[in-house]
Amino acid sequence: MVDANAQSANLGFEAKLFLAADKLRGSMDASEYKHVALGLVFLKYISDAFSTVYEKLKADEYADEEDAEEYLAERTFWVPKEARWAHLQANAKQPTIGKLVDDAMLAIEKSNTSLKGVLPTNYAREALNKTMLGELIDLISTIGMNEESDKSKDILGRVYEYFLGGFAGAEGKRGGEYFTPRSIVRVLTEMLEPYKGRVYDPCCGSGGMFVQSEKFVVEHGGRVGDIRVYGQEMNNTTWRLAKMNMAVRGIDADIKWNNEGSFHKDELADLKADFILANPPFNISDWGGNRLREDVRWKYGIPPVGNANYAWLQHIIHHLAPNGTAGVVLANGSMSSTSSGEGDVRQSLIENDLVDCMVALPGNLFYGVTISCCLWFFAKNKTTEGFRSRKGEVLFIDARKLGTMTNRVLRDFSSEDTLEISDTYHAWRGQSDAIERRGEYENVSGFCYSANLEDIKTQGYMLTPGRFVGAEDELDDGQPFEERFATLQEKLEEQFITGQNLVEKITKFFSGESK
């Protein structure tokens, strides 16, 4: 059991709390158990938030603490008596606790229309061990004890976020479908700096991009609410996680769901966003591209039916405001593939001066997946006020040697690693704060290079940073075997793609398709 009194001293208790909660699940699959645990954390959060307003209203002789309208005015969810945490905690050892939790979830949904269809309501099922459920309620009851209300809510939000990541790790590769590792999200937000405006994610998963964007605003002196959040998710279960995540963090978000997805039923078709942060699924072959051949979004070329990567990129660019910027996580192959016309689309994006920066990331950043990925950064206008003009230029950053292996299979970026990447980009854009910290931008062998369009044309419009940054002077840097192997694996993947491209060109030549 977690020592509640130690929580105020150090929020590192999240890891211990997760281990304690994870131990309770026994043989239950992590993908199933996460909904049990996260639903209860959510319930504790809104109950605590309700109790804060309840006590405030109770002390006001002119207010009615049992009037749901009073809570609406305070931007707080109304929690009926049977759904309040104290009631569930008092009955945690009863054999009917599963039904009591289900009834609580249904009562909250009935009283708060924005949560309709969001909360998990299968705690009474026979397969769910009720002793474990009661112990989990007791464990979660320790979160935020003896804390002031605002701090308690913040702790619960951090616990929810940590649990999301913990369950993603337990699920391995499947966990990456709903959770983008914090290292990657942090790089995206630090580079794009979403201080104020509309933030959009067309495949938002559990909403991590939005949480980190709000954190960025607060950490840099802005106000929560300075950004407006929009998203879409096609997996209903993941959408429900996102809705709860936003509610726990107090983020007012417009997140849409349908089972057709952003390509085939764009719920936010008219949105033009100031910032787009996205981690679309890599290399999806069954995205239904054959039904979208004439789509207005394909301004820079028709994406191949067999791979959605360039459909995602163009969907994102389509939704950018005139001065908007975007950061997108994609598979490394997207930087160099010429299959099925991808090279032509990439060339068009480059020649239309939309690509602002490319970042190669190391392997092992995703849970259960060793494959490396990259970050694409787009700028609709490279001459916006506050930055130097970057017309005709693209910055390449090779960050494959950054980060530390936190265990045998997972790598993490430190704050210094993130700052090294983002400051390089900001100094290149001419931002004074980064220049004060790092000095004027300079190319660094093996790490970063500012290329012009002619440089990129010479490389066949391929955007792999390793082609541009060159080799470091020192060849042996003492890399552990696992890191060297990951680097070699990435080089082999790049060479394989290059070989595929060459075979395709030769085939076209001899078949008469190419002159």
Side-chain angles (χ1 to χ4, degrees):
M1 184 65 66
V2 177
D3 179 5
N5 294 323
Q7 294 180 12
S8 59
N10 183 4
L11 279 177
F13 79 95
E14 297 110 315
K16 292 181 180 178
L17 188 71
F18 177 77
L19 288 174
D22 196 44
K23 189 179 293 184
L24 291 174
R25 74 179 169 99
S27 60
M28 182 181 289
D29 188 77
S31 62
E32 183 181 9
Y33 181 67
K34 74 169 179 281
H35 299 293
V36 175
L38 291 170
L40 291 175
V41 173
F42 175 81
L43 198 57
K44 174 74 160 62
Y45 172 86
I46 65 169
S47 187
D48 280 10
F50 169 86
S51 295
T52 300
V53 178
Y54 182 91
E55 294 301 325
K56 174 184 171 183
L57 294 173
K58 192 174 181 180
D60 185 348
E61 62 177 308
Y62 299 106
D64 179 4
E65 66 271 18
E66 293 293 345
D67 181 1
E69 295 295 324
E70 297 272 14
Y71 295 86
L72 185 63
E74 295 283 343
R75 296 173 63 84
T76 301
F77 292 110
W78 163 256
V79 182
K81 289 182 179 180
E82 68 271 25
R84 295 170 193 173
W85 190 260
H87 172 68
L88 298 176
Q89 188 179 359
N91 291 279
K93 300 296 189 292
Q94 299 299 319
T96 56
I97 184 58
K99 185 176 187 308
L100 291 175
V101 174
D102 281 346
D103 290 345
M105 296 291 190
L106 291 169
I108 289 171
E109 285 194 350
K110 185 177 180 181
S111 302
N112 302 276
T113 55
S114 65
L115 296 176
K116 185 174 177 58
V118 171
L119 307 185
T121 54
N122 55 357
Y123 290 85
R125 66 188 185 276
E126 188 176 347
L128 183 58
N129 183 293
K130 301 308 179 288
T131 300
M132 176 275 290
L133 180 58
E135 290 177 352
L136 186 57
I137 289 172
D138 285 341
L139 179 68
I140 291 172
S141 295
T142 67
I143 304 173
M145 281 178 58
N146 305 321
E147 298 288 359
E148 294 178 0
S149 59
D150 286 345
K151 191 169 185 181
S152 174
K153 288 191 292 183
D154 183 58
I155 290 171
L156 278 157
R158 293 174 72 157
V159 167
Y160 190 95
E161 183 182 8
Y162 190 93
F163 273 34
L164 274 172
F167 286 124
E171 290 183 61
K173 185 175 181 179
R174 288 176 59 195
E177 295 175 3
Y178 67 87
F179 186 83
T180 305
R182 187 175 182 273
S183 282
I184 294 176
V185 182
R186 185 79 178 180
V187 170
L188 289 172
T189 53
E190 287 292 336
M191 289 183 72
L192 292 180
E193 298 185 312
Y195 284 114
K196 184 178 291 187
R198 295 152 297 187
V199 178
Y200 171 56
D201 184 346
C203 42
C204 67
S206 57
M209 300 289 188
F210 304 138
V211 170
Q212 198 62 50
S213 295
E214 286 275 8
K215 280 186 179 180
F216 178 87
V217 171
V218 173
E219 288 172 2
H220 291 79
R223 296 181 298 109
V224 173
D226 280 351
I227 61 173
R228 298 189 299 281
V229 168
Y230 302 88
Q232 185 166 338
E233 173 59 41
M234 72 180 296
N235 183 300
N236 184 260
T237 302
T238 304
W239 170 79
R240 290 159 63 189
L241 288 176
K243 292 284 285 185
M244 288 193 290
N245 197 11
M246 297 302 97
V248 165
R249 302 300 312 196
I251 297 174
D252 186 11
D254 183 7
I255 301 179
K256 308 291 189 181
W257 167 80
N258 66 58
N259 57 15
E260 295 181 60
S262 294
F263 289 141
H264 295 278
K265 191 175 181 182
D266 189 353
E267 297 278 3
L268 298 158
D270 297 327
L271 175 68
K272 297 298 180 183
D274 302 294
F275 305 98
I276 300 179
L277 301 89
N279 174 26
F282 299 168
N283 302 320
I284 296 298
S285 59
D286 57 348
W287 64 283
N290 58 310
R291 292 181 278 135
L292 294 171
R293 294 294 79 193
E294 304 298 324
D295 197 278
V296 67
R297 289 169 291 185
W298 314 150
K299 184 177 178 182
Y300 304 99
I302 299 174
V305 171
N307 193 311
N309 287 345
Y310 278 86
W312 281 117
L313 293 180
Q314 293 193 81
H315 173 87
I316 285 163
I317 291 168
H318 174 78
H319 276 285
L320 276 179
N323 292 325
T325 53
V328 188
V329 191
L330 270 185
N332 276 349
S334 64
M335 298 186 289
S336 55
S337 173
T338 60
S339 299
S340 305
E342 287 182 330
D344 295 332
V345 180
R346 185 172 57 251
Q347 179 176 336
S348 182
L349 296 175
I350 294 165
E351 290 180 341
N352 280 278
D353 212 12
L354 290 163
V355 182
D356 204 33
C357 178
M358 298 295 301
V359 180
L361 296 175
N364 298 97
L365 287 174
F366 279 89
Y367 295 103
V369 182
T370 58
I371 189 172
S372 304
C373 58
C374 63
L375 302 179
W376 290 68
F377 289 90
F378 297 102
K380 262 296 188 70
N381 181 3
K382 292 187 179 182
T383 62
T384 49
E385 186 177 351
F387 306 122
R388 73 173 186 87
S389 172
R390 289 109 54 213
K391 290 186 72 173
E393 299 177 26
V394 177
L395 176 65
F396 291 90
I397 298 175
D398 190 339
R400 289 177 294 175
K401 291 189 176 182
L402 296 183
T404 304
M405 299 297 289
T406 57
N407 56 43
R408 202 168 51 83
V409 295
L410 190 64
R411 184 190 299 265
D412 193 19
F413 280 155
S414 66
S415 297
E416 291 74 21
D417 292 329
T418 302
L419 193 62
E420 183 172 359
I421 297 170
S422 61
D423 264 359
T424 299
Y425 179 54
H426 295 157
W428 177 77
R429 291 201 300 185
Q431 293 176 237
S432 57
D433 56 342
I435 292 172
E436 286 176 11
R437 285 191 295 269
R438 298 182 63 89
E440 296 285 344
Y441 171 82
E442 292 182 357
N443 294 332
V444 177
S445 180
F447 180 65
C448 61
Y449 183 81
S450 181
N452 58 39
L453 296 185
E454 191 58 36
D455 293 331
I456 298 171
K457 182 179 180 181
T458 301
Q459 292 292 338
Y461 294 98
M462 295 188 181
L463 295 176
T464 312
R467 293 174 175 268
F468 297 89
V469 302
E472 286 186 309
D473 295 333
E474 190 175 342
L475 296 177
D476 185 4
D477 62 351
Q479 269 188 306
F481 170 77
E482 292 85 354
E483 297 184 27
R484 286 190 177 280
F485 183 79
T487 302
L488 289 170
Q489 183 182 36
E490 183 170 326
K491 288 180 179 178
L492 183 62
E493 289 171 359
E494 184 180 337
Q495 289 171 356
F496 179 72
I497 289 172
T498 302
Q500 279 186 314
N501 295 339
L502 183 59
V503 169
E504 185 171 320
K505 288 180 179 178
I506 293 172
T507 302
K508 285 183 177 180
F509 179 82
F510 284 105
S511 65
E513 294 180 36
S514 176
K515 292 182 180 180

